């Protein structure tokens, strides 16, 4: 039986009850296409799609959308001169592109979370895996030590810090992607008595300002903002390894992206 | 007649039709308190409130909320050990704190926008003032030149860049605060044929990814992310100057904040 796009989607979404109004859609291509090669990336940039096509993949699995908006607002890219060549590339190549986001995060454990933990080499320090966060307990060190570790392990040129580099820290909460907002991060920090939050991204006037007040009060509380992609790409890389083990008859390639921000 | 908190709020909100469900509320204190001194800041951090009280001000006007959430979610800070000392400081001092956000942005022109333009010394380059953005046309220069100018004028240690430093640019769109999201920024860039967007903040997978695709296509499109506070603080400073001229019998002080992120 040929391996179809739909068969792979079904496998990815299995073990999770149906999610209504999900953003996990086949953004390009057809469900019954036979898959000859799989590419996995955090983001379907034009460069990533080109690389996927060049590698011979005809199914690209990404965490984020094609059209620069979480809910795939088609109007945003209608007659857009920048989106048009990307659309043409997709049509000319016939590549299928599936977004694996909600089902991925809902799976227990969430590979985006376990992928980050593994990349940080912190699996042995995990004390609690919550639906939206992981709590780790590190040997006592400073925020500066943790920042250096994170940069080295994730190959990142810089991090955004709120709080003090010299603050001691042991109890750390990890919140991937856009979970850095106050409604998730503040109760987590309070209820789990955390010293440090490591997040993807979140509104700047929320959690960072809470940390600013805490640090001003002399408390050892800090926040490291990795960037959305930096926090979730390790999980997508881990997914590509899983797929490689699962589908031995088709090549599976992981395509990394460059940091979206340069500090100038 | 004594100058009350309410009289100043009424004056701030005059010339704008009533906004329903506004976030502009008296977050602390009482409307009929007589104002002895006014402090203005972007953010009511604990340090800012202390400085306002120490300066003798009993009315603090800020752009952002006390409670780390745009819609003032009280539950977020209930029994919170970090918020508690801030609340005690407010109660002990009796300071009134008014949030001037929606009415401020709705006023034409929006002082947050004109304040940024003035701080950048770009008033003469303004070609169009839209309700949510300003379009300026600069003498042709590179993104690198613009970045250096912005850093110098706003006293900023760094900027986040997406795109190329060497890209030429002339037509620039400014979007303060959280207006850097795709739904505002992408149509603006397309419809006004902009080379460069300068924004406060926005979701990382939206506008920055659009710019990434554009730059990959060899187009001279770039994005400078200033930070939410960095983009709006100049406007609050301009407001303090206006208030000083308006209320000559009470002292008016502007209280700046430090950058919320340190790059490490």
């Amino acid at each position: 039986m040929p391996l179809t796009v739909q068969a792979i989607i079904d496998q990815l979404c299995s073990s999770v009850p149906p999610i209504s109004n999900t953003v996990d859609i086949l953004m390009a291509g057809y469900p019954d296409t036979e898959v000859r090669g799989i590419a996995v990336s955090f983001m379907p940039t034009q460069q990533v799609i080109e690389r996927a096509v060049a590698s011979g993949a005809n199914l690209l699995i990404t965490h984020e959308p094609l059209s620069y908006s979480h809910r795939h607002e088609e109007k945003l890219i209608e007659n857009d001169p920048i989106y048009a060549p990307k659309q043409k590339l997709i049509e000319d190549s016939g590549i299928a592109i599936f977004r694996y986001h909600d089902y991925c995060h809902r799976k227990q454990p969430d590979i985006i979370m376990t992928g980050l933990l593994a990349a940080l080499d912190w699996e042995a320090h995990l004390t609690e895996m919550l639906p939206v966060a992981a709590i780790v307990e590190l040997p006592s060190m400073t925020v500066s030590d943790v920042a250096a570790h994170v940069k080295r392990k994730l190959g990142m040129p810089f991090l955004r810090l709120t709080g003090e580099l010299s603050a001691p820290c042991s109890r750390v909460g990890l919140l991937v992607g856009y979970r850095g907002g106050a409604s998730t991060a503040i109760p987590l920090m309070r209820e789990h008595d955390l010293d440090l939050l490591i997040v993807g991204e979140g509104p700047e006037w929320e959690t960072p300002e809470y940390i600013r007040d805490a640090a001003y009060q002399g408390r050892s509380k800090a926040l490291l903002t990795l960037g959305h992609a930096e926090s979730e790409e390790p999980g997508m890389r881990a997914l590509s390894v899983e797929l490689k083990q699962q589908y031995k008859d088709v090549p599976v390639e992981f395509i990394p992206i460059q940091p979206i921000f340069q500090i100038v």
Side-chain angles (χ1 to χ4, degrees), chain A:
Chain A
M1 210 173 82
L3 177 65
T4 62
V5 166
Q6 189 61 49
I8 293 174
I9 294 174
D10 289 345
Q11 179 61 35
L12 285 170
C13 301
S14 65
S15 84
V16 172
I19 300 171
S20 62
N21 202 19
T22 180
V23 298
D24 293 14
I25 58 171
L26 192 59
M27 301 182 289
Y30 302 98
D32 55 359
T33 299
E34 181 175 349
V35 176
R36 295 183 310 271
I38 302 171
V40 177
S41 185
F42 171 72
M43 180 67 68
T45 67
Q46 183 165 340
Q47 187 175 23
V48 163
I49 300 168
E50 279 179 10
R51 266 194 62 179
V53 171
S55 80
N58 66 342
L59 170 62
L60 171 63
I61 300 166
T62 66
H63 194 65
E64 296 297 353
L66 266 176
S67 52
Y68 323 111
S69 82
H70 184 58
R71 297 233 152 254
H72 308 283
E73 304 293 345
E74 291 297 321
K75 266 195 69 172
L76 199 63
I77 46 162
E78 248 173 38
N79 302 315
D80 186 280
I82 291 162
Y83 189 71
K86 192 162 155 175
Q87 184 59 34
K88 187 172 184 316
L89 163 67
I90 293 166
E91 284 168 12
D92 289 352
S93 67
I95 193 166
I97 310 180
F98 177 65
R99 183 167 180 205
Y100 188 45
H101 183 278
D102 298 345
Y103 280 87
C104 178
H105 283 308
R106 199 70 66 82
K107 210 161 177 170
Q108 288 303 330
D110 171 3
I111 199 168
I112 299 294
M113 196 70 251
T114 55
L116 179 61
L117 277 172
L120 291 171
D121 207 5
W122 281 353
E123 289 153 311
H125 300 298
L126 179 71
T127 61
E128 204 169 346
M129 181 63 93
L130 303 165
V132 298
I135 312 289
V136 299
E137 186 136 6
L138 303 176
S140 191
M141 52 177 89
T142 64
V143 170
S144 176
D145 296 330
V146 177
H149 176 87
V150 170
K151 283 163 66 179
R152 193 173 61 245
K153 287 290 183 182
L154 302 186
M156 292 178 60
F158 65 87
L159 294 173
R160 284 166 264 175
L161 167 70
T162 308
E164 301 294 334
L165 269 183
S166 59
C169 71
S170 162
R171 291 184 57 76
V172 181
L174 285 96
L175 289 161
V176 298
Y178 204 74
R179 292 173 177 165
S183 62
T184 305
I186 291 180
L188 185 81
M189 184 161 235
R190 182 173 58 223
E191 288 157 23
H192 294 267
D193 193 23
L194 303 177
D195 308 311
L196 174 66
L197 288 170
I198 297 181
V199 307
E201 67 168 320
E204 290 181 13
W205 72 92
E206 294 192 356
T207 311
E209 293 294 343
Y210 179 77
I211 299 293
R212 190 207 295 264
D213 277 340
Y216 180 69
Q217 293 164 8
R219 295 173 201 262
S220 303
K221 302 281 179 192
L223 167 72
L224 287 172
T225 300
L226 302 187
H228 197 123
E230 285 79 358
S231 74
E232 298 197 313
E233 188 176 68
M236 291 304 282
R237 188 187 287 271
L239 174 69
S240 73
V241 175
E242 267 196 6
L243 292 175
K244 209 170 282 196
Q245 290 159 351
Q246 228 160 351
Y247 301 106
K248 295 195 191 298
D249 297 335
V250 293
V252 178
E253 191 197 13
F254 179 72
I255 305 175
I257 55 169
Q258 291 299 304
I260 194 70
F261 293 130
Q262 200 188 131
I263 296 297
V264 298

